DNA sequence: ACAAGATTGTACTGATCGGTAAATGTATGT
DNA sequence: ACATACATTTACCGATCAGTACAATCTTGT
C-alpha cells in the first residue's frame, strides 16, 4: 500500500521547471521532461493538472521557508544571529540570484492570479516575522515594519538585478549591505 | 505615401499587453485585441512577429528612460533635484507598483533570453547614470556604485512587493526611504 | 477618375497546448 | 496463485498557438 512514493519526489523537479519557464511557459512536455514522468503519471499524481502541481510546489516552498526562515525569526531570542542565519539561507536558496523567487514571479503577470492569496500570505508573513524579530532586538516600533519591508523588497530586487546583469556578485553585495543595515539597527 | 502611421501608435498598447501577460502569455489574439489591429495588420507592421513587436516596445521604453531618467542623471549639475525628479518619474511610471517593469520581468524566465543584452544594458546604464550623478553630488566613490545598485534593485523589489501585497502604499514607502537615503548621502 | 501601394480581414497551415481515456504493466497483501 | 490497487504508456480530443497567403479594401498622388 505504498502511496505517494513519487508525488513528493516529483515536486522539486516541478519547482525548478516552473522557476525556469514560469507557469504558462512550463508546458506539460517541459514538466514531463523535468520530472522524467509521462503525462499520464503526472495526471495520476496531480489530477488537477498544472494548477495542482504549482500548488504542491508552493506548499513545498512554504514549508521550507516556515522551517528555515519564518519560525526562527518569530521565535528568536537572539535576533542578530536569527537575522544572520536568514541571510545565509536566503543567499544559498536563491543561489546568489541565479535562482528565481517563484512567489515573486507569480506577482508579475496575469498567469499567477490564481495563487495571489498564497503569495500575499507568504510575503506578509516574511515581513511580519522579520519585523517581530527586529522588535525583539529593541528596534523602535516605528522602524521595524519599514526595515522589514525594505529588506524583503530588497531581496526580490537583488534577484532581478543579479539576473539582469548576469552577475551574482551584485546580489551578494546588495544582500550584505542589507544584512549590516539590520544588524546596525539592532545594536544601535 | 503616409507610412508607419500606426506602427508607432500600436507600440504602447503592445507594451501594456506584454506587461500584463508576459512575452509568452501575450498571444497574438491578446495583442490583436489590445491594439485593435487584426493579425494581418500586426504582421504588416511587424513582419518579424512577436519578437519584433517586443523589440519595438523595448526601444520605445528605452527612449523614454533615456530622455526622462538617464540623460538628466548623466548631465545633472544639481544632483539633488535630478534624483528627486527621477523618483517622481519612476513612481508615476510604475504607477506605484501596479505597473510592472517589463525589462525586469524578462530577466525572470527563459522566455526573455533573446532580449538579455538589451535588458543588461538598460540596467547597467541606469546604475552608471545614477552612480555618476551621486559622484557629482560629492558622494565618496566607494559608495556611489553601491548606492546606485541598491536603489535600482530596490525599485524592482518594490514593484514585486507592492503587487504581492496588492498595496501601492508599500511601494511609495520603500521609494520614499530610498529617495531620502540618496539625498542624505549627497548632503552629508 | 484611375493606378499604385498601403492596409486590412479571412482563411488556412502544421505544431503544440492542456487534458482525457483506456489499455497495459507492476507491485502487494492474502 | 490470484485479486486488487496503483502506475505508466499510448493514443487521442478540441482548442489555441505563431505565422502565412491572398484577396479585398482603403489612401493617396496624379
Amino acid at each position: 500500500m505504498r502511496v505517494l512514493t513519487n508525488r513528493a519526489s516529483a515536486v522539486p523537479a516541478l519547482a525548478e521547471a516552473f522557476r525556469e519557464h514560469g507557469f504558462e511557459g512550463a508546458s506539460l512536455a517541459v514538466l514531463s521532461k523535468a520530472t522524467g514522468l509521462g503525462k499520464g503519471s503526472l495526471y495520476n499524481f496531480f489530477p488537477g493538472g498544472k494548477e495542482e502541481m504549482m500548488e504542491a510546489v508552493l506548499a513545498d516552498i512554504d514549508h521550507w521557508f516556515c522551517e528555515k526562515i519564518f519560525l526562527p525569526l518569530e521565535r528568536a531570542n537572539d535576533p542578530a544571529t536569527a537575522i544572520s542565519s536568514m541571510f545565509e539561507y536566503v543567499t544559498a536558496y536563491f543561489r546568489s540570484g541565479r535562482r528565481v523567487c517563484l512567489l515573486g514571479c507569480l506577482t508579475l503577470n496575469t498567469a499567477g492570479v490564481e495563487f495571489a492569496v498564497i503569495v500575499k500570505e507568504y510575503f506578509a508573513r516574511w515581513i511580519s516575522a522579520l519585523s517581530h524579530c527586529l522588535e525583539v532586538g529593541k528596534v523602535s516600533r516605528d522602524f521595524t515594519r519599514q526595515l522589514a519591508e525594505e529588506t524583503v523588497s530588497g531581496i526580490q530586487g537583488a534577484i532581478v538585478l543579479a539576473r539582469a546583469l548576469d552577475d551574482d556578485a551584485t546580489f551578494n553585495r546588495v544582500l550584505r549591505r542589507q544584512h549590516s543595515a539590520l544588524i546596525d539597527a539592532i545594536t544601535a
Side-chain angles (χ1 to χ4, degrees), chain A:
Chain A
M1 267 275 212
R2 275 271 60 83
V3 196
L4 300 185
T5 27
N6 278 339
R7 179 186 150 122
S9 77
V11 169
L14 291 173
E16 235 44 56
F18 280 129
R19 264 184 248 274
E20 203 173 332
H21 299 90
F23 183 63
E24 292 191 338
S27 66
L28 287 178
V30 166
L31 297 173
S32 178
K33 182 167 290 183
T35 55
L37 296 172
K39 218 191 286 197
S41 300
L42 285 174
Y43 272 90
N44 178 40
F45 291 133
F46 307 94
K50 277 174 76 173
E51 193 161 328
E52 188 173 342
M53 298 181 208
M54 180 58 102
E55 274 162 11
V57 166
L58 294 179
D60 193 50
I61 293 174
D62 189 62
H63 176 261
W64 189 90
F65 270 81
C66 283
E67 184 183 334
K68 306 289 188 189
I69 312 275
F70 301 159
L71 285 174
L73 288 174
E74 285 159 359
R75 295 176 179 165
N77 41 18
D78 180 353
T81 64
I83 283 169
S84 295
S85 162
M86 176 188 101
F87 276 101
E88 272 176 40
Y89 273 123
V90 164
T91 304
Y93 184 84
F94 292 120
R95 307 241 176 84
S96 297
R98 302 220 171 274
R99 205 188 196 195
V100 140
C101 177
L102 196 44
L103 284 285
C105 287
L106 288 177
T107 66
L108 293 178
N109 58 43
T110 51
V113 282
E114 314 129 51
F115 313 105
V117 315
I118 297 177
V119 172
K120 185 173 185 171
E121 280 169 10
Y122 164 87
F123 281 106
R125 183 163 182 197
W126 195 347
I127 290 172
S128 85
L130 181 52
S131 186
H132 171 263
C133 181
L134 290 169
E135 204 175 326
V136 172
K138 307 256 186 301
V139 176
S140 157
R141 288 210 62 179
D142 300 340
F143 294 120
T144 55
R145 171 153 186 105
Q146 198 169 34
L147 274 176
E149 273 178 0
E150 232 174 297
T151 305
V152 174
S153 153
I155 291 167
Q156 296 297 312
I159 294 171
V160 173
L161 192 56
R163 293 178 63 89
L165 300 179
D166 192 25
D167 170 34
D168 38 358
T170 306
F171 182 90
N172 295 322
R173 213 155 32 208
V174 171
L175 254 71
R176 209 177 313 127
R177 227 175 97 94
Q178 254 155 8
H179 183 185
S180 54
L182 293 191
I183 299 297
D184 290 354
I186 286 180
T187 57

